[in-house]
Amino acid sequence: MIRIFTFLLIPYSLYSTDPAPKNKLSGNFDLGMNYTKNIESTFQLNNLFLLKYQKKKSSFSIKNNIALINKSGEDEILNKGTQDFKYSLNSKKLSLNFTLNHTYDISRSIKNRYSSGIGFSYNIKDENNKKLDVGLSAIREKEINLFDESKLQNRISSNLDFTIKNNKKFSIVSSNLYQPNIEETSDFRFKTSISFRIILNNYFLISLNNTYNYDSRPEESVNNSDFQMINSVSYTF
């Protein structure tokens, strides 16, 4: 584990001294919903709040993403959500990151999952209409299932994120995450999300968000994968 963290800290020696950016506060508030009716009816409500603060070369972000799902014939409302805190030290191309995360997902028998990580991300391309980032980090997590059984794990987390803007009104944003268990790589998670966004004005946009999750070692009686689609309206500032 020490060798892994040493490898992740190598980018510190490559860190460049670029002019510090100005302080800046930004964020967005999303409200989305989706209703599906076939053999059974499903109603899904989603809320996302993101706040970012840039101070010179340091940036802080807090994100809260929750979803409530109600199926016809079922009294229980399924709920899932994540809360993230991230600190980054940025240069022009390289960012060094520290993260804290809390996840819960009743549908996947996850009562609570707490994790912390340290790593870096590298900006491969950043143009007016294209952006591409890759990242790597080591994380330590504790997961508690619905039966109050807990387990500790060490994982490597790698990500590939990109944004494509065809014009000033339309963009595609994608995030892809792969997390193998360090002790046993056949135990891994994969998550990919893609959003199609239409910008209405400087403050509002509408988006179609699709997320696919895969877990090679889910809890007993839980499917390996699930898919989520949310239509949302976003206010940005």
Side-chain angles (χ1 to χ4, degrees), residues 21-128:
K22 296 180 180 180
N23 298 353
K24 182 180 179 182
L25 181 67
S26 62
N28 59 273
F29 180 88
D30 294 16
L31 183 63
M33 61 182 63
N34 194 32
Y35 178 76
T36 304
K37 184 175 179 61
N38 39 49
I39 298 177
E40 62 180 15
S41 299
T42 303
F43 177 76
Q44 185 170 355
L45 180 67
N46 176 258
N47 173 242
L48 184 147
F49 176 74
L50 175 65
L51 184 65
K52 295 181 179 180
Y53 179 65
Q54 179 82 33
K55 183 176 177 62
K56 296 183 179 179
K57 293 183 179 180
S58 296
S59 64
F60 307 82
S61 68
I62 299 174
K63 182 170 71 173
N64 182 38
N65 189 348
I66 60 175
L68 302 175
I69 305 170
N70 179 248
K71 293 184 178 181
S72 60
E74 297 184 6
D75 296 329
E76 183 181 10
I77 296 178
L78 299 178
N79 62 91
K80 59 174 67 182
T82 59
Q83 290 77 43
D84 294 284
F85 168 81
K86 182 177 181 180
Y87 167 75
S88 299
L89 185 61
N90 309 303
S91 71
K92 185 176 181 180
K93 288 287 188 179
L94 189 66
S95 295
L96 308 171
N97 310 311
F98 171 74
T99 59
L100 296 172
N101 172 270
H102 171 235
T103 298
Y104 60 92
D105 189 343
I106 303 302
S107 65
R108 303 197 64 79
S109 192
I110 301 173
K111 185 176 181 180
N112 288 293
R113 178 191 292 155
Y114 304 97
S115 64
S116 60
I118 183 171
F120 66 92
S121 60
Y122 183 76
N123 177 238
I124 298 176
K125 181 183 288 291
D126 191 358
E127 301 175 351
N128 291 332

Side-chain angles (χ1 to χ4, degrees), residues 150-165:
S150 64
K151 57 183 176 182
L152 293 171
Q153 294 181 331
N154 298 311
R155 292 181 180 271
I156 287 291
S157 180
S158 59
N159 66 281
L160 172 67
D161 306 322
F162 67 84
T163 300
I164 300 174
K165 296 181 180 179

Side-chain angles (χ1 to χ4, degrees), residues 149-185:
E149 299 169 338
S150 64
K151 57 183 176 182
L152 293 171
Q153 294 181 331
N154 298 311
R155 292 181 180 271
I156 287 291
S157 180
S158 59
N159 66 281
L160 172 67
D161 306 322
F162 67 84
T163 300
I164 300 174
K165 296 181 180 179
N166 288 343
N167 50 54
K168 294 182 178 180
K169 295 294 184 181
F170 180 75
S171 63
I172 301 173
V173 179
S174 180
S175 177
N176 304 275
L177 184 69
Y178 175 65
Q179 293 183 332
N181 188 324
I182 293 176
E183 286 80 17
E184 191 174 0
T185 55

Side-chain angles (χ1 to χ4, degrees), residues 209-232:
N209 309 292
N210 303 275
T211 302
Y212 175 77
N213 286 289
Y214 182 86
D215 190 338
S216 66
R217 300 277 182 86
E219 292 291 331
E220 188 176 352
S221 75
V222 175
N223 292 332
N224 289 91
S225 62
D226 65 70
F227 176 77
Q228 186 178 24
M229 182 176 68
I230 291 287
N231 303 295
S232 65

Side-chain angles (χ1 to χ4, degrees), residues 129-143:
N129 60 345
K130 294 179 182 178
K131 185 176 181 180
L132 178 63
D133 295 280
V134 295
L136 185 68
S137 60
I139 59 176
R140 174 73 165 172
E141 67 175 32
K142 178 180 180 180
E143 182 176 307

